[in-house]
Amino acid sequence: MQSFQSQMFTKTLVTYMKCFRCGREYPASANAYVCPICGAGNNSTDPGILDIHYDYEALRFVLKQTGKWMLVRQDMFRYLSLLPVEKPGSVLPVGGTPLLLVPRLAAHLGLQALYLKDETQNPTHCLKDRATAIATTMALAQGKRDIYCASAGNAAISLAGFCTYTKQNCHVFVPYGASSVQLAWLYHYGADVFVSSGNYDDAFNEAEEAGVKYGWYSRNCALNPYLVEGKKTVAFEIATQLNWKIPDIVVSPVGDGCTLGGVGKGFRELKEIGQTNSLPLLLGVQAEAIQPAVHRYNQHPLLHNHSGDSSTLASSIAVRRPRNILRLLSELEKCGGWMLSVSDEDMIVAQRMLTEEAGVEAELTSAATLAGLLKLSKRESLQGKTVVLIITAGKRDSIP
Ligand SMILES: *Cc1c(COP(=O)(O)O)cnc(C)c1O
Ligand SMILES: [Zn+2]
C-alpha cells in the first residue's frame, strides 16, 4: 500500500465524467465544462453538467487493507483521494471548520442532537471557499493567472480573497444592486469588478461571455464540474467529526443547487468506499419569493424557472434559474429528503435565534436552514433525530 500512498500525490483517482442530462460518459479532462452534446442550456433547457467519477473500488480496497485513505492535515485537502487535483494547492487553508453542538436549539425541536457546521470560520467566512480552493488550485496547475466568476456576493468575495494570496487576477461579475458592503469587500481585495445592469442571471451570462472571449479560468460552480468536488468536502468533514455516524438529516440553503448536491454526493461516496453504511436525508431550503428548485422538486412543470420580479433579502439564494438542478434532484432521489421554502420573516427570526441561543452570526441566507427545519418539524416528527444545519456564511455588516 506504500505505492498507493505515494501514488495519491502524483495521480488523481478520477476515472470518467458523466452528463447529468443525457447520461453519456466522457474521459476525464481538466478543461471540460459541460457535455458537448447537451451544451450549457438556455431558459427552457438545463445545462448538461458533468459529474466526476472516481475509482471507488481502489479506495474501498485501500480502506479495507490499511484503514487509511485520508491525509494527515487539517484542511479540506485531507480528502485528496476523492478530489480531482494531484496535490494540495498552495492556497488559503479551507475547511476543518467546527461542528458545533447546540443543545438549546435542539430542545426547541425535541431533537436528540442539533449541530451547526460553522462555515463562517473559513478564510472569507463562507462555504464558497471550498469551491474556490479547487478553482485556484486547478488554475495554478494549468498556469492560468486569470479567473472569473458571476456572483451575488459570496463566491466573488471568496475568489477575490483567494486571488490576493496566490497573486492571480480576479474578474467578478455582480448583479445590479449588489450591496455596498459586498462591493467594499471586493475592492478591498483588489478584484476587477464588473457591475451588471441586470440580475444574477444576467451577470452569469455576461461572465460566461467574457470568460470564453478571454480564456479565463471559470469559477462558476454551476458550470465547472470540478468545483462541486470542493463543496462535497463539507459532508466528509461532518461525517469525520461525528466519527462516521451519519446524522438523520442535513439541511442547506439552495440557490443553484451545487452545495446541497455536493453534500449528497459526499455522503454517497463515503458509503461507496465502505467508510459509512447509511445516508442522511437532505433538506433544501429556498426563499418563498424565489423558489424554482422547490417547484422543480414538486414537479410543477410551468414553474421551472422564476420569471417574476419578486425579491428576497436572502440574496445568496436569489437564483431564478438553478443551473445545477439536475444534480440536486438526482441526489434528493438517491439520498431521500425534501425541498421547502420559508419567508424572509421566518429567516429573520431564525437568524436571531442562532445569535441568541448558539452564539453564531449567520448570514440571513444561512438562517434559512433553521427556519426550514422549524417548518419541517410542523409536518414531520423530528423526535429523537440528529440534525446538522450547514451555516453556509457569516454576516458581513461592516466594511473591511
Ligand atoms: C451560494 C450560497 C448558497 C447556495 O449555494 P448553491 O450552491 O448556489 O445552491 C447558500 N448559502 C450561502 C451563504 C451562499 O453563499
Ligand atoms: Zn449530455
Side-chain angles (χ1 to χ4, degrees), residues 19 22 35 38:
C19 173
C22 69
C35 169
C38 299

Side-chain angles (χ1 to χ4, degrees), residues 185-253:
W185 278 84
L186 293 173
Y187 293 125
H188 179 62
Y189 284 138
D192 166 27
V193 182
F194 180 88
V195 182
S196 172
S197 58
N199 59 26
Y200 167 74
D201 300 76
D202 299 316
F204 190 95
N205 294 335
E206 287 152 8
E208 284 310 316
E209 212 166 283
V212 169
K213 184 169 166 198
Y214 298 110
W216 297 333
Y217 190 84
S218 169
R219 192 241 164 268
N220 274 341
C221 205
L223 281 184
N224 182 341
Y226 289 104
L227 303 192
V228 166
E229 301 305 293
K231 289 191 171 183
K232 78 184 180 188
T233 59
V234 75
F236 296 163
E237 284 185 13
I238 291 168
T240 308
Q241 288 165 310
L242 292 175
N243 222 351
W244 310 118
K245 201 171 170 305
I246 296 305
D248 297 299
I249 301 171
V250 178
V251 191
S252 169

Side-chain angles (χ1 to χ4, degrees), residues 18-24 26 34-39 47-50:
K18 182 173 177 177
C19 173
F20 270 111
R21 245 187 89 183
C22 69
R24 283 186 183 83
Y26 299 97
V34 291
C35 169
I37 310 280
C38 299
I49 301 231
L50 299 170

Side-chain angles (χ1 to χ4, degrees), residues 308-319:
D309 55 6
S310 55
S311 67
T312 169
L313 293 171
S315 59
S316 300
I317 48 172
V319 178

Side-chain angles (χ1 to χ4, degrees), residues 327-347:
R327 175 189 298 280
L328 176 59
L329 293 175
S330 147
E331 292 301 344
L332 279 166
E333 197 173 297
K334 288 174 182 148
C335 301
W338 315 267
M339 287 290 306
L340 54 77
S341 65
V342 294
S343 68
D344 283 15
E345 292 70 34
D346 292 343
M347 287 187 251

